[in-house]
Amino acid sequence: MAKRKAPQVKPPLDPESEAWNKIPWRKLEQHCFRIQKRIFRASQRGNTRAVHKLQKLLMKSQAARLLAVRRVTQDNQGKKTAGIDGIKSVRPAGRLVIANHIHPKNWKATSPPVRRVWIPKPGKAEKRPLGIPVMEERARQHLAKLALEPEWEARFEPNSYGFRPGRSCHDAVEAIFNSIKQKDKYVLDADLKGAFDNINHQALLKKLNTYPAMKRAIQAWLEAGAIDTGVFEETKSGTPQGGTISPLLMNVALHGMETTVMDAFRTKEGKTQFVRYADDLVVFHTTEEGVKRAQAVLEIWLTDMGLELKPSKTKITHTLKPYQGTVGFEFLGFAIRQFPVGKTHTGKNTWGKPLGFKTIISPSKGAIERHMQEIGKSIRKLRSTSQQDLILTLNPIIRGWANYYRTVVAAKTFSLCDHLVYQQLRRWAYRRHPTKGRQWIIRKYWSMEPGASWVFRDQQEHVLTKHNARPIQRHTKVRGTASPYDGDFLYWSTRLKRHPMLSGTMGRLLQKQQGKCRWCGLLFKDEDQIEIDHITPKSEGGGEELSNKFALHRHCHDQRHARRAATSIRDKDRMIEEPDDANVSRPVLEPSMRSDPHA
C-alpha cells in the first residue's frame, strides 16, 4: 500500500507585512506635507522660532518617520547598497522597527561610520568617493531632510538648480540661454575642487543655525568617519557623498554665492548673471574685467567655507569672439556658444533689432563620444548574444540619452548617432556570420520601413529605438524662486507632465491620469519613482496597449502586488513576490547615469 503524503501546509501571511501594506499612506503624505508647507511659509516670513517648533513637530510625527523609512527601503535607487553592517534590504517587519528607532528621543551624539565606495567618473581615470551609511542612519537623515528642506527652499537663491526639488539640469541650461540670448558676454566657467569633501564643518553648522538637537545630529553625521577596505578614516571636513542629506547640506554651504557676486557690482558697471548647478557655476558679464573681479570675489568667499576653485576646470572665455583660443563653453554636457550669422538667420532683441549672431546650445563633443563608447562597449559585451537581448540592452541607453538632449539643437546630432550605431551593429552582425553575404545579413537583421528607413528588428518584432525618434521638445525654465512646497499643485503637476526625461508612454499616461497616481490618488512629485504597471497582467492575457497600462509610485506598485499576493495565497495557494527592479521606473528630476552622461 502506497504511503500517503502529508497535506501541504499553506504559507501563513506575515502579519507585519500586512500591517505595513495597510498603512494609510495617502493620509500620512498629506499630513507631512501640511507641516512642510507651514515650515516653508514661516521661513519666508523669517520666523525662525516657528520654523524650529514645526520641525520638531514633524520629526516626532509617526507620519514623517514612516515616510522616511519607506523612502530609503523601497523607493531609493541605492536601496540595495549595504553600509558597514552588510544589510542590503529590509522586509516590512524590519521597516516598522526602524520607524520606531528613528524617533528623535532615541538619537545619539555619535553615528556609525560610513562604508567607503569608489565609483569611476564618466570619461575620466579618477574616481569619486561615496560614503554609504547604514540603513537606519539613512532613514534618520531623510527624516531630518524632510524637516530642513522646506526651510531652505524658502531661502535658496533663484539661480541655484542642482539637487533641489522641482529643478533640473534643463532649467540651468535654459537660464544660461536667457542670460546671453540678447548680448554676447564674457564667461567665467568654474568648478569647485572637491565640493563634497572639503566643506568646513564648523562654518556649515554655523550657517545652518538650527536648534541644538538637530545640530548635534548633523555634526555626528559629518564626523562619523569612513571605513575603507577595513581601515577607519576620520572625516575632518566635507559631507559624505551617498548620504541622503548630503546634497542639501552642500547647497546650504554654497548658499550666498549668487548674492555675493551680484552685490560686488554697481548698477552702472553692468548687470551680472550667475547660474549654479551643484558645484558647477558660470558668471556672465559684458567685460573681461567684470568676470575677473567676479572670480576674485568668489575665491575670497569660498575660503570661509574651506573651498576653492579648481584651476584645471576654471577658465574665462567669450560666447561669440575667440578668447585665448576658445569660443563658448561646456556646461552639464551641453556645448554653448554664439555664431555670427547674416540678416536672414540672426536673432533679434526685444525691440526687433538684428543682433548679428545666433545662440546655439547642442550636445558637446565629449558627451557624444562617451555615449558612443558606452554603446560600443555594450555591443562588444553582447557579441555572442541574441538580437533581442542586444535590443533590450541598447534601448534604455539610447532613449535616456536622447531624452536628455532633446531640448536643444540636437536633430543633426541624433542623425549622426544613428549612423554610428548602424555601423557598429553592422560590424556586430558581420562577426556573427563571417561566411554569409552582406545582403543576407542585412535582410536577417534589418527591415525596410515606409519612407526608406532601415530598422534593426528581430523576428519577435523587438525594434531598436533610434535617437531621432525622440522629437525635439523645448523646455520652459522653472519660475523664479518657485518651490514645490509653495502649494501650487497645478503648476508643478503641469511641469511634471512636460518634463523632457519622461518617455512618450510615461508622458501620455501622466497626461491621461492628470498627473496623479492611479493607486493612491496623490499628485506625483519630482523626487517620486514612477513605474508603469499593467492593469491586466501579461500572464493573464493583457497586452502592451496604452489602455492596459497606468503609472503609479514605486511603493504603490509594491503595495498593489502585495495585495495581489495575499489574494493569490488565499485563492490559489501561491505567492507573488514584490516587483523587482526590472520594472520600468522613472526618477523624474533625478536622471540616471545612462541619461546623464556628465554626472
Side-chain angles (χ1 to χ4, degrees), residues 35-54:
I35 301 178
Q36 287 181 313
K37 187 176 177 181
R38 291 173 66 190
I39 294 172
F40 178 82
R41 290 181 173 176
S43 181
Q44 281 184 323
R45 297 193 306 267
N47 191 343
T48 304
R49 185 175 179 181
V51 168
H52 292 170
K53 281 188 174 183
L54 291 168

Side-chain angles (χ1 to χ4, degrees), residues 330 332-334 363-372 401 405 597-598:
E330 292 185 9
L332 301 178
F334 295 89
S364 67
K365 291 183 178 179
I368 298 172
E369 290 176 1
R370 290 192 296 271
H371 178 54
M372 298 314 302
W401 195 86
Y405 287 105
H598 58 274

Side-chain angles (χ1 to χ4, degrees), residues 56-331:
K56 294 175 184 177
L57 175 65
L58 179 67
M59 295 183 64
K60 291 178 182 178
S61 69
Q62 188 181 27
R65 288 185 281 119
L66 287 170
L67 289 171
V69 172
R70 187 182 69 176
R71 179 67 179 179
V72 301
T73 59
Q74 281 187 268
D75 291 349
N76 274 5
Q77 293 289 86
K79 63 182 179 182
K80 293 187 178 179
T81 305
I84 60 171
D85 58 357
I87 296 177
K88 291 185 177 181
S89 61
V90 182
R91 301 301 296 171
R95 296 169 192 167
L96 293 171
V97 173
I98 292 178
N100 291 327
H101 284 180
I102 65 173
H103 193 285
K105 67 180 181 182
N106 299 324
W107 287 20
K108 300 178 181 178
T110 58
S111 175
V114 299
R115 182 170 72 93
R116 178 71 73 211
V117 177
W118 297 87
I119 61 172
K121 292 185 177 181
K124 301 176 185 177
E126 58 182 318
K127 294 186 176 182
R128 177 186 289 119
L130 296 184
I132 310 300
V134 298
M135 194 67 71
E136 193 166 309
E137 289 303 311
R138 292 182 221 175
R140 285 195 178 95
Q141 289 186 17
H142 191 74
L143 179 60
K145 182 183 177 183
L146 290 176
L148 287 174
E149 192 171 63
E151 173 192 359
W152 283 94
E153 275 297 307
R155 300 185 187 181
F156 282 144
E157 295 158 321
N159 287 306
S160 165
Y161 297 97
F163 303 124
R164 291 183 58 188
R167 291 163 182 255
S168 65
C169 306
H170 303 90
D171 291 310
V173 172
E174 190 65 22
I176 290 174
F177 178 78
N178 292 338
S179 298
I180 63 176
K181 64 181 180 180
Q182 298 290 330
K183 191 174 181 62
D184 57 306
K185 295 178 181 179
Y186 285 89
V187 187
L188 170 64
D189 181 15
D191 190 6
L192 303 185
K193 184 178 180 180
F196 277 99
D197 304 326
N198 298 310
I199 294 174
N200 184 284
H201 288 171
Q202 296 306 315
L204 174 58
L205 292 171
K206 183 179 179 181
K207 182 178 281 191
L208 275 170
N209 190 30
T210 187
Y211 59 94
M214 179 74 80
K215 181 179 179 180
R216 288 192 297 269
I218 293 175
Q219 187 169 5
W221 294 326
L222 294 175
E223 299 174 354
I227 294 181
D228 189 0
T229 61
V231 179
F232 177 78
E233 300 175 354
E234 293 185 0
T235 51
K236 297 181 179 180
S237 63
T239 63
Q241 298 184 58
T244 308
I245 201 172
S246 296
L248 174 62
L249 294 180
M250 191 199 70
N251 272 332
V252 172
L254 300 182
H255 173 65
M257 295 177 68
E258 180 179 350
T259 304
T260 302
V261 172
M262 301 290 281
D263 291 346
F265 294 84
R266 293 177 294 178
T267 305
K268 66 180 182 180
E269 292 176 317
K271 187 178 179 181
T272 304
Q273 283 87 22
F274 179 98
V275 178
R276 178 175 69 84
Y277 186 91
D279 58 348
D280 292 330
L281 60 98
V282 287
V283 182
F284 301 100
H285 198 270
T286 54
T287 65
E288 180 183 358
E289 293 75 15
V291 293
K292 288 183 176 179
R293 192 202 303 181
Q295 181 176 357
V297 170
L298 284 173
E299 288 173 347
I300 296 172
W301 187 90
L302 289 168
T303 304
D304 296 335
M305 293 303 303
L307 300 172
E308 61 179 339
L309 298 178
K310 191 172 184 178
S312 61
K313 287 191 173 181
T314 301
K315 63 179 181 179
I316 295 176
T317 182
H318 194 271
T319 58
L320 178 62
K321 299 177 292 187
Y323 180 87
Q324 297 181 354
T326 60
V327 184
F329 62 100
E330 292 185 9
F331 190 78

Side-chain angles (χ1 to χ4, degrees), residues 406 473 490-500 502-518 522-524 530-532 546 549-552 588:
R406 65 173 174 162
Q473 174 184 323
L490 178 62
Y491 174 74
W492 292 106
S493 62
T494 303
R495 278 184 59 82
L496 179 59
K497 289 183 287 187
R498 297 174 180 173
H499 195 271
L502 294 176
S503 66
T505 302
M506 182 71 77
R508 289 194 295 272
L509 288 174
L510 289 178
Q511 191 77 26
K512 179 181 176 182
Q513 298 172 201
Q514 298 182 343
K516 295 180 181 180
C517 174
R518 277 282 297 272
L522 292 174
L523 287 167
F524 288 114
I530 308 177
E531 296 185 346
I532 297 176
L546 193 68
K549 294 180 180 179
F550 61 95
L552 68 173
V588 180

Side-chain angles (χ1 to χ4, degrees), residues 193 223 282 313 436 528 559 571 580:
K193 184 178 180 180
E223 299 174 354
V282 287
K313 287 191 173 181
K436 296 290 185 178
D528 289 337
Q559 192 174 1
D571 299 344
D580 57 24

